[in-house]
Amino acid sequence: MKKITIAIDGHSSCGKSTMAKDLAREIGYIYIDSGAMYRACTLFCMRQGLVRPDGTIDTARLEPLMPQLHVAFGLDAATGRPQTLLNGENVEADIRTMEVSSHVSPVAAIPFVRAAMTAQQQLMGAKGGIVMDGRDIGTAVFPHAEMKVFVTASDEIRARRRYDELCVKGEQPDFDDVLRNLRERDRIDSTRAVAPLRQAPDALVLDNSNLTIAQQKQWLLDRFHELTR
Ligand code: CDP
């Protein structure tokens, strides 16, 4: 059977990665977390001292450094889990912090950063058989994806999920900071000039506010089987 392209977009912290990863595993597709790529770019900017105290990014210094910024994915040999590599270094834990979350949307709004990441994502998905999650996958990266899903959930529920996730990782976040961060990211992601977060007209909408992980997995699998039958 021909392998299709599946694009999962939506608001911050609504569980897209969990559902995309689960679906890919279940149907034997490759999973790509496009947000991890923008997070790795952000970590690179932080390490290079390109984030100004007011949170803006020194794009004039970043642009000539782009050839030195390589993001890739690998598998952790011990756990078998996917890991994000920044210039060959495993940065999976470092890119999930609140600090990276607080700078990522301005970095992801820079047109030359998007052009570089989009080109790489299109190469990764060129043969189909891929589930990619992000903000612009069904609109800009793979506008012809056979299956598009737009996911959302209420702000408070999304903030609670992200708060719990950070606590499990040993961070001690403030709930209101988490809520403010996801609202601010949604605002920047939806209003940027290049590839803003939008629901593609042909996307299936999933509000998972009141769904368990098992229920959302079943919902996605049912849609996938309907489309590929
Ligand atoms: O996991 P969460 O929903 O919090 O975010 P993420 O998927 O890790 O993405 C982090 C940030 O990267 C987003 O807030 C966007 O600013 C940016 N992003 C993007 O611009 N385009 C994508 N395709 C994916 C992420």
Side-chain angles (χ1 to χ4, degrees):
M1 197 202 310
K2 179 185 171 276
K3 290 195 166 184
I4 66 167
T5 299
I6 303 177
I8 302 189
D9 290 306
H11 295 104
S12 306
S13 315
C14 57
K16 295 181 299 296
S17 308
T18 306
M19 68 173 75
K21 216 179 294 172
D22 273 0
L23 176 66
R25 193 183 308 118
E26 191 76 28
I27 63 179
Y29 278 27
I30 291 168
Y31 163 64
I32 300 288
D33 176 356
S34 69
M37 300 173 71
Y38 291 99
R39 287 176 176 272
C41 292
T42 305
L43 184 66
F44 179 84
C45 291
M46 287 161 51
R47 288 178 172 177
Q48 295 285 332
L50 304 178
V51 182
R52 301 193 188 94
D54 67 356
T56 57
I57 312 298
D58 189 339
T59 51
R61 282 178 55 216
L62 174 60
E63 194 161 15
L65 293 177
M66 288 303 286
Q68 297 172 35
L69 196 179
H70 299 285
V71 184
F73 295 99
L75 278 186
D76 186 310
T79 62
R81 291 215 187 100
Q83 56 188 16
T84 308
L85 304 170
L86 171 60
N87 294 333
E89 175 194 345
N90 177 7
V91 293
E92 192 52 40
D94 308 77
I95 61 170
R96 307 289 169 189
T97 61
M98 270 298 278
E99 198 187 354
V100 168
S101 294
S102 67
H103 296 304
V104 64
S105 287
V107 173
I110 301 169
F112 62 79
V113 171
R114 297 209 74 77
M117 295 303 117
T118 302
Q120 207 172 322
Q121 290 153 8
Q122 287 171 336
L123 266 180
M124 291 168 170
K127 294 195 183 117
I130 196 163
V131 183
M132 193 177 289
D133 79 318
R135 302 294 185 284
D136 62 338
I137 309 306
T139 51
V141 180
F142 298 121
H144 303 298
E146 289 90 343
M147 177 170 165
K148 298 181 187 179
V149 180
F150 189 84
V151 195
T152 192
S154 79
D155 295 6
E156 280 75 15
I157 286 180
R158 291 188 285 130
R160 172 60 56 190
R161 289 176 184 157
R162 181 49 51 93
Y163 174 86
D164 290 345
E165 194 177 273
L166 289 165
C167 290
V168 167
K169 287 181 178 157
E171 278 203 56
Q172 292 170 328
D174 177 75
F175 179 80
D176 291 329
D177 284 348
V178 175
L179 181 60
R180 248 193 312 275
N181 172 259
L182 69 85
R183 284 182 173 152
E184 180 61 2
R185 281 200 286 138
D186 286 346
R187 187 190 66 75
I188 300 175
D189 295 345
S190 313
T191 55
R192 68 184 173 219
V194 183
L197 168 63
R198 292 253 190 290
Q199 181 188 321
D202 50 348
L204 304 160
V205 180
L206 172 63
D207 181 334
N208 68 3
S209 301
N210 298 308
L211 296 186
T212 63
I213 289 181
Q215 286 170 325
Q216 73 181 18
K217 184 173 171 184
Q218 194 54 50
W219 184 93
L220 274 172
L221 272 174
D222 291 347
R223 302 291 85 72
F224 172 76
H225 290 307
E226 272 168 22
L227 274 167
T228 53
R229 215 176 1 227

